[in-house]
Amino acid sequence: MPVTISTPTSTFAGLPVQQYTAGTPLPTDPAATAWKVATDWDRGDDGFVTDLTALAATDRAGQITALLLGQWSEASDPLPTAAITPALPAFTGVRHLFVGDMTFEESEISWIDWGDLTAVLDAFGQLRTLQLRGGCSSLIGDAVPFAPPALPELTSLTIESGGLQQRYLEAFLAADAPHLTDLELWLGVDNYGGITTVDPLAPLLAGDRFPALTRLGLCNSDLADEIAAALDGAPILQRITDLDLSKGTLTDTGADALAAADLGAVTTLILDHHYVGDDAVRRLRAAHPHITVSAQDRQEPDTYGDKTYLYTAVSE
Amino acid sequence: MRLLIVGNPAGRRTALLTAAARRAGIPDPTVLPWRTALTGGPGAAGPALTAALHAQPVDATQVTVRIDSPGDDPHVDRLLRGAATCPPRGALTTGPAWYRGFTRAATELAAAATASGARVTSDPHDLAVLFDKRACHTRLAAAAVPVPDALDPPGTAPITGWADLRERMTTHGMHRVFVKPAHGSSASGVLALQRHHRGDVLARGPLTWRAGRLRNSLRPGVFRGPDVAAVVDALAPLRLHIERWFPKLVLAGTAVDVRVLVVAGTATHAVVRTATGPITNLHLGNARGDLTALRAAIGEPTWRQVLTTAEAAAACFPRTHTVGVDVLLGAAAARGAHRGAPVVVAEVNAFGDLLPHLPGLRHRAHDPYDAQIHALTATTSTAKAPA
């Protein structure tokens, strides 16, 4: 069965997370905390905008370095960009941003709608860390235009999605991020708006993007076997030491493709949450004795009648 | 003190209570099987109990009658509903007929016990409220016990089906609700339902379609779009109670809530229930969580708030010796929100004590049955003290 997103965010960018509520004073050193803004189940949708606006209005807002945007709407409305954009310039010190920090209790991951993400990222041009959760299925959300962002200081980009839409994927892969070292993409499944072929990954795999990249995650994908095949000899792997293909539907087919592949500079390969048999894992390890392979959390396919289903770790 | 259980003689509850009686040095409880009590129908349960009390070796005034769960026995289910045949496995049976039968039987049993001079550990009026989630919600709210908003408050008609539910959700601006059969127990028939602002709808619950019939399932079912309408329409004849979905705290990868057992007014046991989906009942294969870790995450003041909230809920049922209270903590409980920790009561269970071998909060050696017998014998001797 599909499992939904569940890990709580208790630290972000190495800082403890604390929720900010309008009317409470900030501590002397607000940079020691990652500040989260979220509405609550009984506050209506205005709580998010109220708290974020109040946080921006405090005289120490400029000292905040890490900001998390949690639940903004019980109704899965888009991020209320127009309402919050005026507040964002006050956060001059923010280097670490999380958009969509919600658990499965707060929202379906595929219902977290970033709205006009361009307007948000334009206000945070000095980000070093960007984490996004959601993306909203193209089936139920508006396709708001999203241009490749310019994030010249970005070192870490994580996008957690149950189905990352191709237009977001392509725009992020075309981002101006010359210092990006860590890229983790949860590609998801086509039912929730994700890509249906590995073609959109071609510019990444060709090594044309992100010259500083050393850690790459292509996670939570029902195309895991196809990704494994596409990685064989991919130029990008000449600079990747840590390759993460976890949370997807990798089977013996993909594991054998990896065993036969030239994996470049990779020294660590993460496959956790997979459908690979023990023999295929052994073949993979034997083929790449210098690579540390983690293959925990093996899944069993679900069978209904004559059909077999493989699930990514997070999809709804 | 002697105990007489109206229960299932072969059931776990009876075995656990008997073991606790032996540890306390009191005689093994006598069991009046629900099947026997209901032989003549729920309205004739009284004479069966009277006969059982007369068969005791001591005077009925020395006997404490415990009306235990009638669950886990399809014959008892049939007798309570006055149905001709036993329900198939997994059938959703706790509708109005079951409720009428159960409350009638409880009333007759309690009246017979009282007439014989025996003590009863639960009150039939309390049981009638505890097995009607709408009435229970009303009673808790009236006592200022925190509960999620109801979509079907007093004075409104029960939900008739999906069209009605959808319209009321729109009217009340609720997008995420829990749908609960009003007379159900455990997680039977419960749906966590949410609507996207564009109209898409998604529901999860331990339900499955089998041969065109909606059945209980230990696996979480996921329903979308028109399937949700069909499920809600199939549940509606059971009578439903609808509450706003209170987003639970998620810790270490799982959603958590706390079942607090309250015995004679005091919280004696607590178990953390965890799940990777929105429904946390332990019988669904979900796991007992780490109470120490939870207390560390939420802090002692919030933990005390959990216990006092449970005790406040139990105080709404003062003539019922033991209840199990399900307390939910909001997501903000572990991230230092300054509005005070969000805590609500999701359920009060009349038979919420089936928590085998759970150590006590105050007396670790007391399991939930030890605690109840301890409290019953203590109050018995107190009552005798002046004489």
Side-chain angles (χ1 to χ4, degrees):
Chain A
M1 292 301 295
V3 177
T4 44
I5 193 89
S6 54
T7 307
T9 303
S10 53
T11 64
F12 178 59
L15 300 172
V17 175
Q18 183 166 336
Q19 186 164 335
Y20 176 78
T21 309
T24 53
L26 284 186
T28 318
D29 181 14
T33 299
W35 293 97
K36 174 165 179 166
V37 174
T39 187
D40 240 326
W41 68 296
D42 58 348
R43 292 179 72 201
D45 296 348
D46 295 340
F48 174 80
V49 175
T50 302
D51 287 352
L52 188 65
T53 304
L55 183 61
T58 61
D59 56 3
R60 299 199 186 101
Q63 298 173 43
I64 292 170
T65 58
L67 184 65
L68 302 93
L69 307 184
Q71 186 169 35
W72 48 76
S73 158
E74 198 197 28
S76 316
D77 290 304
L79 180 68
T81 320
I84 64 168
T85 305
L88 300 182
F91 298 111
T92 52
V94 167
R95 298 292 178 270
H96 313 283
L97 179 70
F98 193 149
V99 179
D101 180 26
M102 305 177 209
T103 68
F104 66 82
E105 274 290 313
E106 295 171 306
S107 178
E108 296 295 304
I109 190 169
S110 61
W111 286 11
I112 301 173
D113 189 338
W114 300 326
D116 183 4
L117 197 56
T118 300
V120 176
L121 296 185
D122 280 351
F124 294 105
Q126 295 172 292
L127 287 182
R128 292 179 193 147
T129 307
L130 175 60
Q131 186 163 349
L132 301 166
R133 183 175 294 156
C136 198
S137 161
S138 53
L139 304 174
I140 50 178
D142 277 328
V144 180
F146 181 64
L151 296 163
E153 297 178 31
L154 195 70
T155 59
S156 173
L157 172 62
T158 304
I159 308 179
E160 300 177 355
S161 181
L164 183 58
Q165 291 176 50
Q166 185 168 338
R167 61 198 187 85
Y168 282 118
L169 177 64
E170 288 176 343
F172 274 110
L173 290 181
D176 175 18
H179 299 296
L180 191 72
T181 57
D182 293 62
L183 175 63
E184 181 175 326
L185 301 171
W186 296 18
L187 298 168
V189 303
D190 62 349
N191 265 356
Y192 294 96
I195 54 175
T196 55
T197 75
V198 298
D199 295 348
L201 297 172
L204 172 71
L205 301 184
D208 302 339
R209 311 277 162 81
F210 313 132
L213 200 65
T214 58
R215 284 183 284 273
L216 174 63
L218 297 168
C219 306
N220 195 48
S221 176
D222 64 354
L223 301 174
D225 283 348
E226 288 88 335
I227 290 169
L231 283 167
D232 183 13
I236 188 75
L237 294 186
Q238 295 308 313
R239 54 181 184 266
I240 299 299
T241 58
D242 295 67
L243 180 62
D244 184 350
L245 303 177
S246 65
K247 303 180 187 68
T249 58
L250 193 75
T251 68
D252 284 9
T253 305
D256 285 336
L258 291 169
D262 170 7
L263 295 179
V266 172
T267 57
T268 300
L269 176 61
I270 312 288
L271 306 177
D272 303 346
H273 180 107
H274 63 84
Y275 294 85
V276 182
D278 291 344
D279 288 346
V281 172
R282 271 194 288 275
R283 290 195 293 272
L284 175 60
R285 288 199 165 110
H288 298 289
H290 62 289
I291 296 181
T292 303
V293 177
S294 177
Q296 299 179 27
D297 197 15
R298 182 182 161 187
Q299 306 291 305
E300 294 297 332
D302 264 353
T303 305
Y304 295 106
D306 57 352
K307 285 192 172 176
T308 300
Y309 296 89
L310 308 185
Y311 295 105
T312 61
V314 176
S315 60
E316 293 293 341
Chain B
M1 185 189 74
R2 281 178 176 267
L3 279 170
L4 193 157
I5 309 172
V6 182
N8 179 350
R12 281 180 93 191
R13 296 169 184 274
T14 300
L16 290 161
L17 191 67
T18 302
R22 288 177 186 172
R23 286 194 292 272
I26 66 171
D28 282 6
T30 306
V31 183
L32 169 61
W34 269 110
R35 288 189 189 189
T36 307
L38 297 172
T39 305
L49 178 60
T50 305
L53 282 167
H54 287 159
Q56 290 284 300
V58 296
D59 187 80
T61 56
Q62 306 291 309
V63 179
T64 297
V65 174
R66 172 183 163 101
I67 301 173
D68 214 331
S69 169
D72 294 330
D73 185 339
H75 293 279
V76 170
D77 184 280
R78 175 181 72 80
L79 291 166
L80 285 172
R81 288 183 294 121
T85 56
C86 286
R89 192 175 159 74
L92 294 147
T93 58
T94 52
W98 182 94
Y99 179 72
R100 275 195 303 276
F102 174 69
T103 51
R104 178 78 198 274
T107 302
E108 298 298 330
L109 289 167
T114 306
S116 300
R119 177 184 182 188
V120 194
T121 60
S122 51
D123 174 76
H125 301 100
D126 282 355
L127 286 173
V129 174
L130 288 164
F131 276 93
D132 180 348
K133 293 182 201 297
R134 298 182 74 206
C136 186
H137 183 278
T138 301
R139 185 179 282 194
L140 294 171
V145 175
V147 283
D149 294 341
L151 196 51
D152 48 359
T156 58
I159 298 288
T160 57
W162 169 240
D164 183 20
L165 175 59
R166 186 181 53 195
E167 187 179 322
R168 289 202 221 182
M169 286 175 73
T170 303
T171 305
H172 289 75
M174 276 194 205
H175 294 86
R176 311 179 80 227
V177 296
F178 263 67
V179 177
K180 304 173 177 183
H183 309 307
S185 52
S186 305
S188 176
V190 173
L191 275 183
L193 184 152
Q194 49 193 330
R195 285 179 79 199
H196 192 274
H197 67 99
R198 290 293 183 80
D200 194 12
V201 58
L202 175 69
R204 287 200 178 81
L207 291 163
T208 189
W209 291 105
R210 208 175 296 147
R213 301 272 184 175
L214 196 61
R215 297 286 188 237
N216 289 307
S217 162
L218 292 180
R219 297 168 58 102
V222 182
F223 307 94
R224 290 187 165 275
D227 286 351
V228 175
V231 170
V232 174
D233 288 346
L235 288 173
L238 296 172
R239 290 189 73 222
L240 298 176
H241 172 58
I242 317 287
E243 286 178 0
R244 185 188 284 271
W245 179 337
F246 178 89
K248 286 193 284 289
L249 177 64
V250 174
L251 279 183
T254 56
V256 302
D257 66 18
V258 189
R259 161 69 60 86
V260 181
L261 192 70
V262 182
V263 177
T266 302
T268 60
H269 294 76
V271 63
V272 180
R273 311 185 304 172
T274 70
T276 52
I279 295 172
T280 46
N281 288 61
L282 291 174
H283 87 280
L284 297 175
N286 295 321
R288 282 186 185 178
D290 182 342
L291 182 57
T292 308
L294 175 68
R295 288 172 70 162
I298 64 177
E300 281 305 299
T302 301
W303 172 245
R304 283 196 295 276
Q305 193 183 335
V306 169
L307 299 183
T308 55
T309 301
E311 289 174 351
C316 295
F317 305 93
R319 287 168 299 182
T320 295
H321 190 248
T322 299
V323 291
V325 184
D326 295 341
V327 182
L328 310 185
L329 289 147
R335 54 170 113 104
H338 286 275
R339 292 195 314 134
V343 169
V344 298
V345 170
E347 301 272 342
V348 185
N349 307 275
F351 305 128
D353 56 353
L354 184 59
L355 303 165
H357 316 304
L358 184 68
L361 293 169
R362 288 172 176 76
H363 305 286
R364 286 195 62 79
H366 281 184
D367 81 2
Y369 295 91
D370 295 321
Q372 291 175 76
I373 288 176
H374 183 78
L376 285 171
T377 49
T379 49
T380 305
S381 38
T382 307
K384 282 178 183 170

